[in-house]
Amino acid sequence: MGFADLVSDAGLTMLDNWAKTRSYIVGFGPSQADVVSFKAISSSPDASKYPHAARWYKHIASYESDFSSLPGDPSKAYSTYGPEQSEIPVNPKDAPEEEEEEVDLFGSDDEEEDSEAVRIREERLAEYKKKKEGKVKPAAKSIVTMDVKPWDDETSMKELEENVRGIEQDGLVWGASTLVAVGFGIKKLQINLVVEDEKVSLEDLQGKIEEDEDHVQSTDIAAMQKL
């Protein structure tokens, strides 16, 4: 069953429902199905009552000069197009009564399948959680620039640096260094290092460096950045 008619309220309502989700009667472009349906309507549908049908009608009207060249069979009647019987909305009072669904008090195969699906899902979740917990997170590290100041201009900066680099500790890596003039012929050691935050305390490290009282007057953290 297609369009019964395209003149009555019922027919235009059917067309409006049909055009609600479509730009054309069939397919994705204008065709003879649109042409015969268009010609079956005496005038443009009332947009306030049939907005989708009115939109379709106005759209197809723009092809009016090309009607004869549009694809499709022009000999088919408009009634061959439109919704099938199963697609036509049914008035609730005319709808057949639904059969009451029987309740299975003893469970069913579906419940067994659901239980199996739940079991599989829980196993996969547990496996995922185990893998996630087993992953080792990369250690948090910082790159630090430290100033090490000598007592005076007579302090051996070579020995001072050797003593600093002689401090070895898990999570500590010494980097490049340079001597920076601070005035009166005195130079300080400016040295870079990378530390693992959980393993190396900068305060403790500074304390170890300052234990070299023959060479080191003080230490300062000049810069610090997380890696």
Side-chain angles (χ1 to χ4, degrees):
M1 176 179 177
F3 298 124
D5 72 80
L6 295 176
V7 179
S8 68
D9 285 343
L12 289 173
T13 298
M14 186 181 296
L15 174 62
D16 193 64
N17 288 331
W18 186 255
K20 185 181 296 185
T21 58
R22 299 171 175 83
S23 296
Y24 305 98
I25 297 299
V26 295
F28 301 99
S31 67
Q32 293 301 321
D34 295 286
V35 174
V36 295
S37 301
F38 180 89
K39 290 180 177 179
I41 302 174
S42 57
S43 61
S44 177
D46 184 350
S48 63
K49 293 177 63 177
Y50 316 107
H52 308 294
R55 183 258 308 155
W56 166 85
Y57 187 92
K58 182 177 180 181
H59 180 54
I60 298 305
S62 67
Y63 293 98
E64 197 162 3
S65 60
D66 301 316
F67 275 2
S68 61
S69 62
L70 293 178
D73 185 356
S75 65
K76 282 188 175 183
Y78 70 85
S79 58
T80 59
Y81 304 107
E84 298 294 332
Q85 182 67 37
S86 60
E87 296 179 76
I88 300 174
V90 178
N91 190 319
K93 67 182 180 64
D94 298 328
E97 293 184 6
E98 295 184 2
E99 294 183 7
E100 186 176 348
E101 185 178 350
E102 293 183 4
V103 179
D104 184 358
L105 300 177
F106 300 99
S108 64
D109 292 341
D110 289 341
E111 291 178 351
E112 293 178 3
E113 292 176 1
D114 290 344
S115 299
E116 180 65 14
V118 170
R119 183 187 66 79
I120 293 173
R121 183 173 67 251
E122 288 179 348
E123 286 181 355
R124 289 177 178 173
L125 286 172
E127 184 178 352
Y128 171 76
K129 185 177 180 182
K130 185 177 180 181
K131 286 182 179 179
K132 189 174 181 181
E133 290 176 348
K135 282 186 177 180
V136 179
K137 294 182 179 179
K141 296 181 180 181
S142 299
I143 182 168
V144 180
T145 300
M146 183 182 294
D147 288 342
V148 184
K149 298 175 183 177
W151 286 106
D152 51 39
D153 61 342
E154 295 182 359
T155 301
S156 171
M157 297 305 293
K158 181 180 179 181
E159 293 177 1
L160 183 150
E161 182 172 355
E162 287 177 351
N163 292 341
V164 169
R165 291 184 181 275
I167 298 174
E168 296 182 353
Q169 184 177 343
D170 186 26
L172 168 64
V173 178
W174 294 107
S177 64
T178 186
L179 296 178
V180 180
V182 295
F184 304 103
I186 301 174
K187 294 182 179 180
K188 66 181 177 180
L189 173 68
Q190 192 167 80
I191 187 167
N192 294 327
L193 55 145
V194 175
V195 296
E196 290 187 28
D197 297 341
E198 291 187 0
K199 293 181 178 180
V200 179
S201 164
L202 290 176
E203 186 177 348
D204 291 345
L205 179 60
Q206 287 179 266
K208 290 180 180 178
I209 295 173
E210 290 171 3
E211 287 178 2
D212 181 14
E213 296 179 352
D214 292 337
H215 298 87
V216 178
Q217 180 196 64
S218 64
T219 61
D220 290 305
I221 302 300
M224 181 176 177
Q225 182 178 353
K226 296 290 184 182
L227 289 179

